[in-house]
Amino acid sequence: MTATSRARSRLGLVAGMMLAAAIVTAAVLSLSGCAPQSAAGEAADAATTPAAELRLGYFANVTHAPALVGLEEGLFADALGDTKLTTQVFNAGPAAIEALSAGAIDATYIGPNPSINTFIQSGGQSAHIVAGAATGGAALVVRDGIDSPADLEGTTLATPQLGNTQDVALRSWLAAEGYETDTTGGGDVHITPTENAQTLTLFQQGAIDGAWLPEPWVSRLIVDAGAHVLVDEAELWEDGAFPTTVLLVRAEFLAEHPETVEALLEGHVASVAWLEGHAAEAPTVINAALEAETGKPLADEVLTRALEYVSFSVDPHAETFETLVANGLEAGTQKDGSIDGLFDLRLLNGLLESDGGEPVSAGGLGEE
């Protein structure tokens, strides 16, 4: 049986299960006199269908290589079948969340902190993480003359966007080092959220002293602009494992079109497996995708270095998310609230188990 046939078989099974569940749910609600409490609950009362279109967001970053490879190798298109795939490229997480919340996209590759933010701000109604994508590949790089945290007093550092994953990491780390910052650029160290390409230009001009960035921008500042690493974020996490990119799906879309989300996940799983099994080919494929989006490929030295610091996995490392919440609160970039229910890994684990793989954990923060 081909991958496409297996996907269609699984999609049919999921559709049947969802319909049966909807019938049971409707009966229970009728007897209890209760009404569904969310858009997802309302959608569960009706039979689901594959979506005519899936609108997918991602970034032109090495940490989003599963998206780049999935598109470049046609893995998403193969899995989605008749569902039309359209894409949109973002610079950082908050912008992608804005599009997701407005209904302009249905799913996006994104960092964990913006995923946390939208979930908390919506009271758990906006979106769910359905898979992991990448770990590692983020660091604070600085100019010559900055050799320790003590040298950062009065400096100006960039991050991709206020409240994005690297922005939160920098603010949290600076607080642990005894520095005060604020979200308007004041404090002991001045943080200026800046688009990544502009950060490189500003660093080359001497207008900023460093930046906390994802790959390939860490490597670009090192190779192209003479920066050096002051903090590799992997050093701050147990076993060096921290989530950089996850796959987030709008809750309403997940409830109405689980078959399409499963197909997206099938393409995602295939892309991660491709990256694991084609290490020699991966730089060429990733670079071709980056060139298509940015108009210019990365230098071989930059891409080789970047890939040394990033790992790709469908495990979202849910066990780290309570710490990420604490970091966001400390950074002043998110509201306090529960992330119970943030993860919905049922479709992913169904695919993994059907292929003889091990399921991944939601860390007690959702369905698995």
Side-chain angles (χ1 to χ4, degrees):
M1 182 180 291
T2 65
T4 301
S5 298
R6 291 197 303 271
R8 289 173 177 166
S9 176
R10 283 195 289 269
L11 298 184
L13 178 60
V14 170
M17 293 173 64
M18 291 296 294
L19 177 58
I23 294 170
V24 173
T25 300
V28 171
L29 291 174
S30 175
L31 290 171
S32 64
C34 297
Q37 299 299 308
S38 67
E42 292 171 2
D45 285 340
T48 61
T49 59
E53 180 181 18
L54 170 68
R55 299 163 299 173
L56 178 66
Y58 66 98
F59 309 165
N61 289 345
V62 171
T63 52
H64 287 229
L68 301 175
V69 167
L71 293 168
E72 191 73 12
E73 293 293 299
L75 301 174
F76 293 138
D78 288 346
L80 287 166
D82 293 335
T83 296
K84 178 183 177 182
L85 176 64
T86 57
T87 60
Q88 186 170 348
V89 180
F90 297 91
N91 176 64
I97 289 298
E98 183 177 349
L100 194 78
S101 299
I105 58 173
D106 306 305
T108 187
Y109 287 84
I110 196 168
N113 284 97
S115 304
I116 291 168
N117 286 346
T118 185
F119 187 82
I120 289 176
Q121 290 173 2
S122 70
Q125 302 301 302
S126 61
H128 297 285
I129 294 172
V130 297
T135 60
L140 171 61
V141 290
V142 294
R143 61 168 171 78
D144 288 344
I146 300 176
D147 299 309
S148 74
D151 297 325
L152 292 172
E153 179 80 33
T155 60
T156 298
L157 305 175
T159 61
Q161 193 171 358
L162 177 65
N164 98 305
T165 300
Q166 287 76 48
D167 184 72
V168 171
L170 174 58
R171 294 175 190 276
S172 177
W173 178 80
L174 286 171
E177 294 295 329
Y179 289 111
E180 292 186 3
T181 64
D182 63 43
T183 56
T184 61
D188 303 322
V189 177
H190 313 299
I191 300 176
T192 173
T194 307
E195 194 274 328
N196 291 327
Q198 184 67 12
T199 292
L200 174 60
T201 300
L202 292 173
F203 186 81
Q204 290 171 323
Q205 294 172 344
I208 60 174
D209 300 291
W212 197 301
L213 299 167
E215 292 290 4
W217 296 101
V218 170
S219 294
R220 287 211 64 183
L221 263 69
I222 291 171
V223 174
D224 297 340
H228 65 273
V229 175
L230 185 64
V231 182
D232 182 344
E233 190 171 344
E235 298 170 357
L236 308 180
W237 294 91
E238 184 177 355
D239 299 324
F242 66 100
T244 311
T245 309
V246 297
L247 182 53
L248 185 72
V249 176
R250 190 160 48 88
E252 185 177 11
F253 188 86
L254 176 60
E256 293 178 350
H257 306 293
E259 307 93 334
T260 303
V261 175
E262 185 182 42
L264 171 65
L265 282 167
E266 183 166 355
H268 173 62
V269 170
S271 183
V272 171
W274 190 97
L275 283 161
E276 292 175 349
H278 297 78
E281 300 169 52
T284 300
V285 173
I286 292 170
N287 223 1
L290 290 173
E291 182 177 11
E293 295 300 337
T294 66
K296 185 178 180 180
L298 293 174
D300 290 343
E301 184 180 0
V302 170
L303 186 53
T304 297
R305 187 195 180 280
L307 287 170
E308 289 177 358
Y309 290 88
V310 185
S311 298
F312 304 106
S313 171
V314 298
D315 186 346
H317 290 279
E319 73 280 359
T320 67
F321 274 69
E322 293 286 8
T323 299
L324 291 168
V325 170
N327 290 348
L329 290 171
E330 184 177 39
T333 58
Q334 74 174 55
K335 296 180 180 179
D336 194 7
S338 171
I339 57 169
D340 185 24
L342 173 60
F343 295 90
D344 190 338
L345 306 178
R346 291 174 291 178
L347 293 174
L348 172 65
N349 282 333
L351 289 171
L352 295 177
E353 291 173 353
S354 70
D355 288 335
E358 292 294 325
V360 297
S361 172
L365 297 173
E367 301 283 356
E368 60 183 53

